Amino acid sequence: MGTKKYAVIGHPIGHTMSPFIHNRLFALSGIDAEYTKLDITPENLNNEYNAVLSKLDGYNITIPHKQNIIPLIDKIDSKAKMYGSVNTVSNNCGISTGYTTDPDGFLKALAAAGIMLDGKIVILGCGGVARTMAYEIVLKKFPLLFAVRKEDIHIAENLCNEIKNTVSGADVKYCLITELQGDIDLLVNATPIGMFPKSENQPVTDSVIKKCANVFDAVYNPLETLLIQKAKANGANAAGGMSMLVWQAVVAHEHWDGSIYDTADITKLCVDAGNELKRNF
């Protein structure tokens, strides 16, 4: 059979956790594989697809290729089609299939942290990450509230309308972050606020954090944002973005080779990935 070949593509690719995470996952599953990173500019994507990518067993895609890869591959699954985005491709028997693993990565990260989708759910922000999370929540028939900055009100309004037009019966609203009040069962930060190097920032006030039973922060650098630290100090169940990063990689392996992993192994990998992150920043 020989060593299987995988990679992550993007531009600029810079420091990425993908090789560390995926090589560990291959080791856990006992599969002989190599995983590297490839810096591919947008203007070279077509050429590199034919020369390199089509010859790999599979690969992951990050910015700016998640949409531009779609016309080049043979087919995409239904979830990737709904999101209009592909971050994982499997090459099998000459057929390339695209998937998006971020949505399932989000749900698996919540489950691993013991966080239930229930009650009053608030997403901070209305960008691409927020959109992915929002669809998964409303598809499961839970009401959702976006809390955004004043300058993003029109974006939030358009996103709410899109979701309502796409998902029948979706209960989705928006408000200003400054208008948040009352108890919150799950607060999800889908903004970059609190990310390194501006780790001293937090997306909501202390008074809001104190009313949250569960908190999930998509930011993974630092491993524990100020939001996560304060939520835990208040007794809330809280988890950071590293778990989502690792679990979406797990979903990629499910598509590539059907691997099944022990939750304890993935929990340890999240910790190890966090330590690797610290060593590189």
Side-chain angles (χ1 to χ4, degrees):
M1 292 288 291
T3 302
K4 292 188 174 184
K5 305 289 185 181
Y6 297 85
V8 57
I9 68 167
H11 179 76
I13 199 69
H15 175 72
T16 170
M17 292 297 300
S18 292
F20 178 86
I21 294 170
H22 286 282
N23 281 318
R24 277 284 298 274
L25 289 172
F26 282 124
L28 284 170
S29 60
I31 293 174
D32 181 13
E34 292 178 356
Y35 188 104
T36 59
K37 61 180 181 180
L38 300 173
D39 192 320
I40 299 176
T41 61
E43 58 269 23
N44 284 334
L45 181 60
N46 284 31
N47 290 337
E48 290 297 313
Y49 179 82
N50 294 319
V52 179
L53 300 181
S54 61
K55 296 176 174 59
L56 296 173
D57 292 284
Y59 51 95
N60 297 116
I61 303 101
T62 187
I63 296 171
H65 303 311
K66 289 187 176 185
Q67 286 77 43
N68 293 336
I69 196 69
I70 294 175
L72 302 179
I73 58 181
D74 296 310
K75 58 182 182 178
I76 63 174
D77 82 337
S78 58
K79 185 162 284 191
K81 186 175 182 179
M82 183 184 78
Y83 283 108
S85 175
V86 165
N87 75 343
T88 298
V89 170
S90 175
N91 289 328
N92 188 20
C93 299
I95 303 296
S96 56
T97 305
Y99 307 91
T100 179
T101 67
D102 288 332
D104 289 331
F106 169 59
L107 297 177
K108 287 177 179 288
L110 290 181
I115 298 175
M116 302 289 291
L117 284 176
D118 198 12
K120 183 178 179 180
I121 303 174
V122 176
I123 291 181
L124 305 176
C126 53
V129 174
R131 179 176 179 269
T132 296
M133 295 170 167
Y135 268 102
E136 293 307 305
I137 292 166
V138 300
L139 283 169
K140 295 185 180 301
K141 307 302 181 183
F142 293 108
L144 174 65
L145 175 66
F146 288 105
V148 300
R149 301 175 302 175
K150 186 176 181 180
E151 56 266 38
D152 293 333
I153 280 290
H154 291 304
I155 298 173
E157 181 181 15
N158 290 337
L159 179 55
C160 286
N161 290 334
E162 176 201 318
I163 292 172
K164 289 176 181 177
N165 289 332
T166 305
V167 181
S168 177
D171 182 356
V172 55
K173 301 179 178 67
Y174 63 91
C175 72
L176 292 173
I177 287 181
T178 53
E179 295 174 342
L180 273 179
Q181 56 184 339
D183 293 336
I184 297 173
D185 293 289
L186 173 58
L187 179 75
V188 179
N189 179 33
T191 79
I193 297 174
M195 183 184 296
F196 177 87
K198 297 182 179 180
S199 307
E200 73 282 0
N201 295 338
Q202 63 187 52
V204 289
T205 63
D206 289 353
S207 60
V208 171
I209 299 174
K210 286 179 181 178
K211 295 179 180 179
C212 297
N214 299 276
V215 172
F216 184 84
D217 196 337
V219 172
Y220 66 84
N221 184 18
L223 203 57
E224 283 200 351
T225 60
L226 193 58
L227 172 62
I228 293 294
Q229 292 173 28
K230 289 187 175 181
K232 286 185 174 180
N234 293 330
N237 190 10
M242 182 59 76
S243 58
M244 181 174 169
L245 190 67
V246 172
W247 279 106
Q248 62 89 14
V250 168
V251 178
H253 284 249
E254 292 175 357
H255 291 305
W256 287 336
D257 48 52
S259 293
I260 299 174
Y261 298 91
D262 186 87
T263 300
D265 287 334
I266 302 306
T267 299
K268 185 178 186 303
L269 176 52
C270 289
V271 174
D272 292 345
N275 292 331
E276 178 72 7
L277 185 70
K278 291 177 183 177
R279 284 192 290 269
N280 286 277
F281 281 90

